[in-house]
Amino acid sequence: MRIFSTIAGLALLGLSAAAVPADKAPWIASWTTSPIRSSAEQRLPQGEPGDVTVRQVVRLTLGGGAVRVRFTNRFGTTPLTIAGAHVAVATGPAAATIDGASDRALTFGGDAGVEIPAGADFWSDPVQFVAKPLSDLAITTLFSALPDQQTGHPGARTRSWTIAGDRLSEAEFADAKPVERWFQIAAVEVTATPAARAIVALGDSITDGYGVTGGQHLRWTDGLARRLSATPRTRGVAVLNHGIGGNCLLAECSGPNALARFDSDVASQPGAGYVILLEGVNDLGRLGRDRVASPAERRAQVQQMIAGYRQIVARARALKLTVIGGTITPFVGNDYYHPDAAAEAARQAINSWIRTPGHFDAVIDFDAVLRDPARPDRMLAAYDSGDHLHPSMAGYRAMADAVPLALFAR
């Protein structure tokens, strides 16, 4: 077991760039998100005739010669009807416009549209498409019937564009309205070399990128993806962000807890080779938010959280994934959770367990990266967004730089 808090300058395994025939190339997830049940204010409005066209821009972390899109009705209680869908190169990371020459129609079993049952996901057919690493892909979808309960991801950190009616084929998407959410999409896969693999970052708002400037891809996972792509021997490693703002390891906070979503968010990702787990601060904060937790409650919580970590480690190893623990970052001073000394002692106990050799295959000590050496229960001022819970832009960069690329060598 290895513990890291700085960049390791070790030689990494090379990835072959040899071409693989399209019908033989493996599929690997290049972009993903964690869908949750959309609240009333997060839902997509129906158009006047019942149709609404949505253009959603996502950042691919790995390139390939063909793509397919995973649409989702995971939390829907009625069917989701898609009348048509296209993919194209977006002209910018948050742009409504596309490169019209790159526009390709998607099909579903050879048909232009599909009805997705309640609770289900549905892949489009593969389409030949030159996808470049760290490029912005526009997914334009014509929804003709939205489910009563929609599925989406509120923390897109970039713009999507909506407009009433059938505007599927428009390159300019004039008069569309911007909104920073994703609707009814879960993943984009690409064909890749056999050596390609993906990292799944399973976490809460710190992984989801709370506070980052929209459309600029400044989450710690974005910084990690850029580092991997810039290093010749790790260019075949994708980064999949499965952070949910307000999410918990065990408790029902925002979205399904980490244990409940392991199968959908980790196990189902094609090409996954690693999982980085950074969860727990919301569990700790939630217990003492409205009242002072007793010492017995804190002791029980520590044991319950450790049991949850053990479950994720066991399930990841059963899938032959390398499972990497991230230490919980400081949050004393936060006005939402107002953690006391007992909450800090619980965080320290859990971090001590995470750091113990053998519990994880490796550890990234995010706590050591972000904490103030003079007051280790708090974030360093330069890395603090100001709420004493979420990192600043400099803090997210420091987290990205603290992940050793050597972890991803075969």
Side-chain angles (χ1 to χ4, degrees), residues 116-381:
I116 303 177
D121 289 358
F122 208 101
W123 285 106
S124 72
D125 299 332
V127 61
Q128 295 301 305
F129 187 93
V130 179
K132 296 182 179 179
L134 304 183
S135 63
D136 296 305
L137 181 75
I139 305 167
T140 307
T141 311
L142 175 61
F143 295 106
S144 60
L146 290 161
D148 291 341
Q149 172 59 63
Q150 293 181 28
T151 298
H153 187 87
R157 319 300 176 200
T158 190
R159 292 192 187 112
S160 298
W161 302 86
T162 72
I163 196 163
D166 182 354
R167 309 286 285 273
L168 191 60
S169 301
E170 289 189 13
E172 295 301 320
F173 224 54
D175 304 321
K177 296 179 181 179
V179 60
E180 291 198 4
R181 294 191 291 277
W182 285 314
F183 306 94
Q184 314 288 163
I185 56 174
V188 177
E189 280 187 9
V190 300
T191 53
T193 66
R197 54 213 186 274
I199 303 164
V200 180
L202 187 66
D204 49 38
S205 58
I206 294 175
T207 296
D208 204 21
Y210 178 88
V212 304
T213 305
Q216 296 188 27
H217 304 293
L218 298 175
R219 300 171 297 181
W220 72 263
T221 54
D222 297 318
L224 174 58
R226 285 189 287 272
R227 290 181 58 221
L228 291 164
S229 187
T231 304
R233 293 182 178 180
T234 56
R235 284 179 182 159
V237 182
V239 181
L240 311 179
N241 188 304
H242 281 278
I244 299 175
N247 196 239
C248 289
L249 175 70
L250 300 177
E252 288 305 313
C253 302
S254 174
N257 62 63
L259 274 179
R261 64 191 179 99
F262 181 89
D263 288 343
S264 61
D265 286 2
V266 179
S268 72
Q269 304 307 329
Y274 314 87
V275 56
I276 300 174
L277 177 63
L278 179 56
E279 285 266 19
V281 70
N282 292 314
D283 298 74
L284 292 172
R286 181 176 180 267
L287 178 60
R289 182 188 170 201
D290 298 322
R291 61 177 178 82
V292 176
S294 71
E297 287 176 309
R298 282 296 182 193
R299 287 193 297 271
Q301 182 183 47
V302 169
Q303 294 307 309
Q304 288 162 1
M305 290 178 65
I306 288 172
Y309 290 129
R310 288 187 188 277
Q311 278 289 301
I312 289 176
V313 169
R315 291 165 72 177
R317 287 174 174 166
L319 296 170
K320 301 189 184 307
L321 302 180
T322 297
V323 57
I324 302 162
T327 51
I328 301 174
T329 54
F331 71 121
V332 164
N334 177 256
D335 288 335
Y336 183 73
Y337 286 138
H338 43 81
D340 57 13
E344 173 61 13
R347 186 181 74 91
Q348 293 291 351
I350 291 168
N351 280 349
S352 177
W353 185 89
I354 291 171
R355 294 184 183 107
T356 300
H359 291 159
F360 286 89
D361 296 322
V363 170
I364 303 169
D365 203 339
F366 290 124
D367 170 44
V369 172
L370 295 182
R371 71 191 179 206
D372 184 340
R375 297 186 300 174
D377 59 352
R378 294 173 180 262
M379 280 192 190
L380 189 70

